[in-house]
Amino acid sequence: MARESRGRGDERNPGRWRVRSRRKQARPAGGDRSGYPVLGGFERAAGRYDLLVGFSPGYHGALLRSAARLRLPDGGRGLRLLDAGCGTGASTAALLRVAPHARIVAVDASAAMLRRARRKNWPTTVEFVHACLDELDQAGVRGPFDGVLASYLLRNLPAPERGVRLLRGLLAPGAPLALHEFSVRGRPSSRLVWTVVCWAVIIPLGRVVTGRSGLYRYLWRSVLEFDSVPELVGRMRRNGFHDVRVGAMPGWQRGIVHTVLGRRPPREQD
């Protein structure tokens, strides 16, 4: 819920961009007037992003759970994987841990986030590409991929429905997609916990660490306005995914962060 070569949105309502909700649109963080107005907020927060997520209990473990739920065989040997919305590389590291022998292409729309990602220690099998999801072809990123992990991406796209279709089109027949995403709509207790966590921890901490709170207030609003889990499952199914299932997270993230998985059918129907 952005990217540069070799380094690191039916539209009914992430890489990390703007939100279009069914009710009202969450105000973008930052003054970016491009197609992805949230992008400016991520550009400014990139330098302290890893520090902030480091304060979130279970953040990296949850990413690892979603990556593992792709069920990639043989440590990813011979596979080509896509990390869509890689940010500073936390999700890339999760993919690499469960598939150390795979080739991984990690993409994001934020050049600043990618610069942080590329400074880390990566094997030569990991490539970072700066591109929005709808511009991957122009950036030289083409399918088919044997698996895709999209972490906190869909919620931030200007057209999530189109985003799901684009992700499906990047998959090889039978290959899996894992959406790692916040979803609290339709769950009053989860909405309450999310609001308390945001206003007691995330927003104040973000203001202290970065000097700004807009991106973190956007995060709070956008999660409240995004799809419920059943809506997200339905979004996957109506865009051609089969074997759609949901995985929960432990701890404070239970009922708030989810893995929604599906596969492109082995054989396409006319």
Side-chain angles (χ1 to χ4, degrees):
M1 134 173 230
R3 304 64 163 155
E4 176 170 355
S5 188
R6 292 287 309 177
R8 222 226 47 158
D10 271 332
E11 314 337 21
R12 293 168 56 188
N13 171 9
R16 306 172 157 84
W17 303 306
R18 81 181 174 192
V19 163
R20 183 178 181 272
S21 71
R22 280 180 208 78
R23 298 177 181 177
K24 62 179 181 179
Q25 179 174 311
R27 288 173 293 170
D32 192 300
R33 297 298 180 182
S34 70
Y36 307 102
V38 175
L39 184 57
F42 283 102
E43 291 282 291
R44 287 186 291 272
R48 299 294 182 93
Y49 195 81
D50 287 338
L51 175 62
L52 283 167
V53 300
F55 287 114
S56 176
Y59 179 90
H60 294 283
L63 287 170
L64 185 59
R65 283 177 182 268
S66 288
R69 287 166 175 165
L70 287 166
R71 300 178 184 176
L72 302 168
D74 196 22
R77 197 177 305 275
L79 302 184
R80 182 170 176 256
L81 308 176
L82 177 66
D83 182 13
C86 65
T88 61
S91 51
T92 315
L95 259 187
L96 184 62
R97 185 167 171 183
V98 302
H101 306 297
R103 293 171 54 207
I104 300 174
V105 180
V107 301
D108 200 273
S110 168
M113 299 285 272
L114 279 175
R115 283 194 294 271
R116 302 295 298 185
R118 295 172 66 181
R119 292 173 186 171
K120 300 171 184 177
N121 188 27
W122 304 101
T124 57
T125 51
V126 176
E127 176 186 8
F128 290 92
V129 179
H130 181 208
C132 301
L133 182 62
D134 54 1
E135 297 176 353
L136 294 185
D137 187 73
Q138 299 95 305
V141 178
R142 301 176 180 89
F145 288 93
D146 300 298
V148 175
L149 175 63
S151 304
Y152 307 119
L153 171 69
L154 204 65
R155 171 179 46 85
N156 290 316
L157 294 177
E161 195 84 358
R162 181 167 184 263
V164 173
R165 291 196 297 269
L166 289 170
L167 291 169
R168 179 179 177 275
L170 291 164
L171 287 165
L177 165 68
L179 298 176
H180 179 87
E181 188 56 87
F182 292 109
S183 177
V184 299
R185 183 186 287 275
R187 296 171 177 256
S189 61
S190 297
R191 292 171 66 88
L192 176 60
V193 171
W194 174 243
T195 294
V196 170
V197 168
C198 283
W199 285 97
V201 180
I202 296 174
I203 294 171
L205 186 60
R207 184 185 296 115
V208 169
V209 173
T210 69
R212 297 171 180 265
S213 65
L215 180 63
Y216 312 103
R217 288 184 283 107
Y218 158 79
L219 173 64
W220 167 66
R221 289 193 304 269
S222 69
V223 171
L224 292 179
E225 295 170 4
F226 188 54
D227 289 358
S228 67
V229 171
E231 287 170 338
L232 195 49
V233 167
R235 198 186 284 278
M236 293 272 282
R237 286 177 174 157
R238 69 174 169 266
N239 283 288
F241 281 92
H242 289 194
D243 190 27
V244 180
R245 61 194 190 279
V246 179
M249 297 296 168
W252 79 267
Q253 296 178 93
R254 181 173 294 277
I256 295 175
V257 179
H258 316 265
T259 317
V260 182
L261 302 112
R263 290 183 179 272
R264 182 170 182 169
R267 295 180 180 179
E268 303 292 349
Q269 296 180 350
D270 296 330

